[in-house]
């Protein structure tokens, strides 16, 4: 503490701020020196003596030059969903910030929004700002709710030595297949028990532009014991339908045949035709 007083004495004649104080004994106005940050006025100056400054006690602070008779209490308390980013010390109040994954809005910490399927993260959320999303542009997709993932580029089937079976959109990736499709110059259709081709048929049907009502009907027909129907957007129902068919396939059903029969039963003749033509069935 002694070096501080020394420093004050050295500074006293130049830039140190002052304040007016009425000496209670003489009733005369005095010009006192202020106390630096981290200290407070323990005794005001008198005619014969400079101001006496003392350091702030624990959990108290003064941020600026002052003539306070008491330091301020560190009165900021971090709430739940907040973390302390600056400790209380003699010169600064405590500072809190929203924890990872949250941002502050009107004093509250709110969880960063997720970008819904079809849109991706443009700018990650910060403690002060929510996530910024944007719809996936042409050639990109996002199939999940996410507060961190940007839209992803559609895969390139040719680069993988495969052919495009289903063109990607903003909700799902492009689906490739090694199954030789009907358009290619072959005189022979793909073998029905070929796993790749069966998956290609499933993918192709699942992502046709089938109305939600018809998609549900299809699933009902294919299910031996109909369960509660899936809810959601078409993209979600398509994903579920595709997962359901893939599951059937793994259960060694004759999925392709069942699917073609179901398409007919559901009166989706044009799609049945498309499948037969494309896969030479
Ligand atoms: C108090 O904390 C602030 C911010 O972390 C820092 O700049 C300052 O040097 C600290 N003061 C003391 C006296 O430790
Ligand atoms: C995304 O979140 C919504 C609402 O929480 C939910 O209904 C939907 O099923 C989710 N979609 C995916 C693909 O997880
Ligand atoms: C298809 O392949 C056969 C031989 O397998 C060939 O003679 C014919 O020219 C091909 N057709 C086309 C359109 O490429």
């Amino acid at each position: 503490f002694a070096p501080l007083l020394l420093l004050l004495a050295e500074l006293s004649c130049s830039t140190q701020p002052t304040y007016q104080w009425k000496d209670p004994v003489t009733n005369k106005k005095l010009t006192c020196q202020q106390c630096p940050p981290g200290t407070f006025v323990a005794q005001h100056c008198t005619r014969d003596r400079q101001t006496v400054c003392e350091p702030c006690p624990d959990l108290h602070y003064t941020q600026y030059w002052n003539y306070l008779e008491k330091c301020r209490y560190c009165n900021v308390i971090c709430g739940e969903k907040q973390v302390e980013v600056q400790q209380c010390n003699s010169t600064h109040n405590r500072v809190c910030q929203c924890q990872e994954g949250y941002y502050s809005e009107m004093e509250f910490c709110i969880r960063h929004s997720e970008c819904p399927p079809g849109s991706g993260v443009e700018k990650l959320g910060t403690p002060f700002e929510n996530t910024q999303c944007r719809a996936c542009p042409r050639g990109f997709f996002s199939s999940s709710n996410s507060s961190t993932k940007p839209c992803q580029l559609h895969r390139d089937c040719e680069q993988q030595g495969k052919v495009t079976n289903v063109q990607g959109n903003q909700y799902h990736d492009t689906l490739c297949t090694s199954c030789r499709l009907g358009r290619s110059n072959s005189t022979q259709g793909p073998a029905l028990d070929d796993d790749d081709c069966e998956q290609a048929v499933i993918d192709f049907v699942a992502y046709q532009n089938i109305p939600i009502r018809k998609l549900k009907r299809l699933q009902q027909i294919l299910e031996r014991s109909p369960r509660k129907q899936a809810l959601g957007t078409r993209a979600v129902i398509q994903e579920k339908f595709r997962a359901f068919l893939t599951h059937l396939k793994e259960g060694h059903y004759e999925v392709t045949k069942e699917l073609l029969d179901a398409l007919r039963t559901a009166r989706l003749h044009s799609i049945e035709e498309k499948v037969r033509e494309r896969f030479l069935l």
Side-chain angles (χ1 to χ4, degrees):
F1 191 49
L4 179 62
L5 281 181
L6 201 66
L7 177 72
L8 293 189
E10 278 169 8
L11 282 172
S12 60
C13 44
S14 55
T15 58
Q16 191 174 343
T18 58
Y19 64 101
Q20 300 299 307
W21 181 252
K22 204 193 301 176
D23 188 309
V25 179
T26 65
N27 246 354
K28 284 245 171 71
K29 264 199 184 168
L30 297 170
T31 300
C32 298
Q33 285 166 352
Q34 294 193 15
C35 290
T39 69
F40 69 102
V41 175
Q43 291 173 45
H44 293 284
C45 72
T46 64
R47 237 178 22 192
D48 327 308
R49 179 176 49 63
Q50 290 290 355
T51 309
V52 177
C53 303
E54 280 185 16
C56 292
D58 274 358
L59 299 182
H60 289 73
Y61 74 101
T62 51
Q63 189 163 0
Y64 306 106
W65 283 88
N66 69 88
Y67 48 102
L68 298 172
E69 292 173 348
K70 272 180 171 176
C71 296
R72 298 179 186 281
Y73 179 61
C74 285
N75 61 348
V76 172
I77 307 290
C78 301
E80 57 166 349
K81 309 276 188 284
Q82 286 191 321
V83 289
E84 188 174 294
V85 290
Q86 188 173 287
Q87 281 188 336
C88 162
N89 66 18
S90 64
T91 56
H92 288 79
N93 201 346
R94 191 177 291 113
V95 176
C96 310
Q97 201 173 74
C98 290
Q99 69 185 49
E100 182 85 21
Y102 290 78
Y103 73 103
S104 94
E105 190 171 278
M106 315 229 281
E107 312 267 308
F108 289 103
C109 289
I110 300 173
R111 190 184 281 281
H112 288 152
S113 301
E114 295 187 318
C115 304
S119 74
V121 173
E122 168 98 313
K123 202 161 157 249
L124 286 170
T126 68
F128 316 102
E129 251 193 335
N130 199 3
T131 321
Q132 286 176 34
C133 306
R134 69 160 177 169
C136 294
R138 245 185 123 73
F140 290 81
F141 79 102
S142 167
S143 57
S144 60
N145 291 312
S146 171
S147 61
T148 54
K149 273 172 38 183
C151 298
Q152 292 171 271
L153 191 61
H154 288 153
R155 68 165 71 87
D156 180 346
C157 297
E158 256 118 79
Q159 219 169 45
Q160 302 179 0
K162 297 181 177 179
V163 289
T164 300
N165 181 31
V166 179
Q167 187 59 54
N169 61 18
Q170 61 182 323
Y171 302 104
H172 68 79
D173 201 356
T174 295
L175 297 174
C176 309
T177 182
S178 312
C179 178
R180 287 162 60 207
L181 301 180
R183 298 258 165 70
S184 66
N185 181 22
S186 77
T187 49
Q188 204 180 325
L192 265 185
D193 56 7
D194 180 331
D195 193 66
D196 257 348
C197 290
E198 214 155 48
Q199 187 64 51
V201 172
I202 287 171
D203 293 347
F204 185 74
V205 173
Y207 291 122
Q208 287 300 306
N209 232 348
I210 301 176
I212 290 180
R213 187 176 46 82
K214 289 271 189 182
L215 265 179
K216 290 179 172 173
R217 175 93 184 97
L218 262 185
Q219 185 154 348
Q220 239 171 29
I221 293 165
L222 286 160
E223 272 175 352
R224 297 289 149 102
S225 53
R227 279 165 292 151
K228 207 160 181 294
Q229 288 293 309
L231 294 176
T233 59
R234 169 149 63 207
V236 168
I237 292 174
Q238 282 178 330
E239 291 297 340
K240 288 191 176 155
F241 184 55
R242 176 165 170 253
F244 164 75
L245 291 176
T246 304
H247 182 74
L248 278 191
K249 181 185 69 136
E250 279 152 12
H252 305 290
Y253 264 83
E254 281 189 82
V255 176
T256 306
K257 183 180 172 307
E258 300 244 343
L259 192 49
L260 287 171
D261 290 347
L263 284 170
R264 189 173 320 136
T265 310
R267 298 176 186 284
L268 289 163
H269 299 298
S270 65
I271 290 173
E272 185 196 348
E273 265 319 294
K274 257 195 196 169
V275 175
R276 285 190 186 283
E277 188 184 324
R278 186 177 175 85
F279 295 97
L280 300 177
L281 296 170

